Amino acid sequence: AKQTGGDGTMIFTQSIRDILERKRLIERSLISAIKAHQFELYYQPKIGGLSRQVCGYEALVRWNHPELGMLSPTEFIPIAEETGAILPLGDWILEQACQYAKRLHDLGFHNLPVAVNVSAAQLSDPGWLDRLLLTLKSTQLPAHLIELELTETQLLNDIDHSTDIITYIRSLGIKVALDDFGTGYSSLSYLRNLPLDTLKIDRSFVSHLKEGQESYDLAIIKAVTALAKQLGIALVAEGVEQPTQEKILTDIGCDQLQGYLYSKPIPAKEFLALCLRSLAA
Ligand code: C2E
Ligand code: CA
Ligand code: CA
Ligand code: CA
């Protein structure tokens, strides 16, 4: 870019160039990074609203980039989705998560499902389902120990295809969760037709909850909890950071809680230690 408008413009064009270069570097190195073992799955527990014990966990991918350092999935997942790299990366994530869940299963945790985030591009890839089934077979993970987390925007993209594929996935015993609920163009009517096991209410509703304060967010969470009960779906609240939020959510009857109050996403080894501690407690 030409430097025409004084210092401000120069800095501006410089930073745009930095952003684009960073993006290109990420694009270029995504595929080779899988083979180079630069990705790692972190795990974050879900806590039972009544039992207050670990009742499941979510796999969240991290990229330890040799030049850029630890990268957040909010930066590289959208790029992987754009370039199609999400297909091999998503396969790798599913395989890692299934292997890990099988290991926990064999250590005696027979009832701790792993939740894996799945992108729209994976869902609409014709070969994806077969590869998922192969992964389940090769890892010998019981199907009920995996839950796929999908977002509304993804599902509404092609609601008929989504409904078909979810119905089939669930017929195999695999669970399906609707992630970030409330952030898309939620129309409650489609919920009736979507066969789901779990609703995850988005962190943005949880973060504003305060003790003794009636708010729209509280009203929405109450309504969603009632709706989930009615539909026979489990409800998970994301982004629980404070004890007062925990109290409000358990009073309302929210089934599962997830957030920094219990644990940040942590490496596999640490999560295993956390499970063993929780078992001993
Ligand atoms: P998500 O699926 O909604 O995951 C929840 C995000 O909230 C995670 O960020 C998690 O670390 C963060 N979080 C959990 N508890 C709290 C809390 O109490 N407070 C706050 N402020 N944040 C909390 P993360 O790991 O950076 O992941 C961001 C997003 O990237 C995920 O949102 C998901 O959309 C995507 N993502 C992560 N891993 C994968 C993956 O393996 N595959 C795909 N397709 N997407 C992934
Ligand atoms: Ca998720
Ligand atoms: Ca979420
Ligand atoms: Ca999200």
Side-chain angles (χ1 to χ4, degrees):
K2 268 183 207 154
Q3 162 192 353
T4 46
D7 284 343
T9 315
M10 204 182 73
I11 291 168
F12 183 67
T13 51
Q14 181 62 47
S15 71
I16 296 262
R17 191 190 299 142
D18 284 350
I19 290 169
L20 288 178
E21 250 164 36
R22 186 179 166 96
K23 190 178 169 200
R24 246 176 266 134
L25 176 60
I26 289 177
E27 270 171 15
R28 268 202 317 272
S29 45
L30 262 166
I31 295 290
S32 56
I34 303 175
K35 294 184 192 94
H37 305 286
Q38 289 167 11
F39 291 103
E40 182 177 358
L41 292 191
Y42 275 33
Y43 298 100
Q44 186 182 36
K46 298 179 185 176
I47 307 296
L50 288 175
S51 71
R52 292 293 160 87
Q53 297 213 323
V54 179
C55 62
Y57 55 104
E58 178 174 1
L60 294 154
V61 68
R62 300 290 181 261
W63 183 357
N64 197 348
H65 195 286
E67 289 154 69
L68 303 173
M70 202 59 135
L71 294 182
S72 157
T74 53
E75 180 170 17
F76 64 81
I77 289 286
I79 299 175
E81 287 171 342
E82 268 171 44
T83 59
I86 192 67
L87 293 178
L89 177 58
D91 287 346
W92 181 87
I93 289 168
L94 270 164
E95 186 167 0
Q96 288 293 306
C98 288
Q99 275 174 14
Y100 186 71
K102 176 67 162 82
R103 220 176 116 217
L104 284 193
H105 171 271
D106 291 349
L107 285 168
F109 299 98
H110 296 300
N111 235 331
L112 278 194
V114 64
V116 182
N117 294 286
V118 172
S119 294
Q122 293 175 271
L123 213 59
S124 51
D125 175 48
W128 175 75
L129 195 55
D130 284 338
R131 297 198 299 277
L132 170 65
L133 297 183
L134 273 179
T135 300
L136 275 178
K137 210 170 184 183
S138 68
T139 57
Q140 295 186 300
L141 179 71
H144 74 276
L145 290 183
I146 182 161
E147 180 160 59
L148 304 177
E149 294 196 357
L150 314 168
T151 62
E152 293 175 81
T153 4
Q154 286 171 353
L155 298 183
L156 297 181
N157 217 2
D158 184 349
I159 191 75
D160 291 333
H161 175 68
S162 301
T163 307
D164 288 350
I165 203 162
I166 292 175
T167 303
Y168 180 66
I169 288 172
R170 291 188 70 240
S171 77
L172 304 170
I174 297 170
K175 288 191 282 221
V176 175
L178 187 57
D179 204 354
D180 300 348
F181 183 68
T183 57
Y185 295 97
S186 321
S187 139
L188 294 179
S189 61
Y190 76 83
L191 269 187
R192 209 178 30 199
N193 304 320
L194 263 185
L196 296 170
D197 298 278
T198 307
L199 265 188
K200 294 190 82 176
I201 190 153
D202 192 67
R203 167 154 52 95
S204 54
F205 296 98
V206 174
S207 61
H208 298 119
L209 290 181
K210 290 201 184 73
E211 184 98 85
Q213 189 178 309
E214 289 294 323
S215 65
Y216 284 120
D217 291 317
L218 180 59
I220 289 170
I221 291 188
K222 278 182 176 164
V224 170
T225 310
L227 179 77
K229 288 260 140 65
Q230 196 86 59
L231 296 171
I233 300 175
L235 186 73
V236 180
E238 321 187 280
V240 182
E241 293 181 354
Q242 290 159 12
T244 56
Q245 295 165 346
E246 172 185 74
K247 181 170 186 311
I248 293 168
L249 290 163
T250 39
D251 285 352
I252 293 172
C254 187
D255 302 295
Q256 295 175 31
L257 309 166
Q258 186 180 358
Y260 295 169
L261 179 62
Y262 313 101
S263 169
K264 291 196 165 180
I266 48 179
K269 249 191 190 160
E270 279 178 51
F271 184 75
L272 176 57
L274 183 145
C275 288
L276 292 169
R277 275 203 307 280
S278 129
L279 193 70

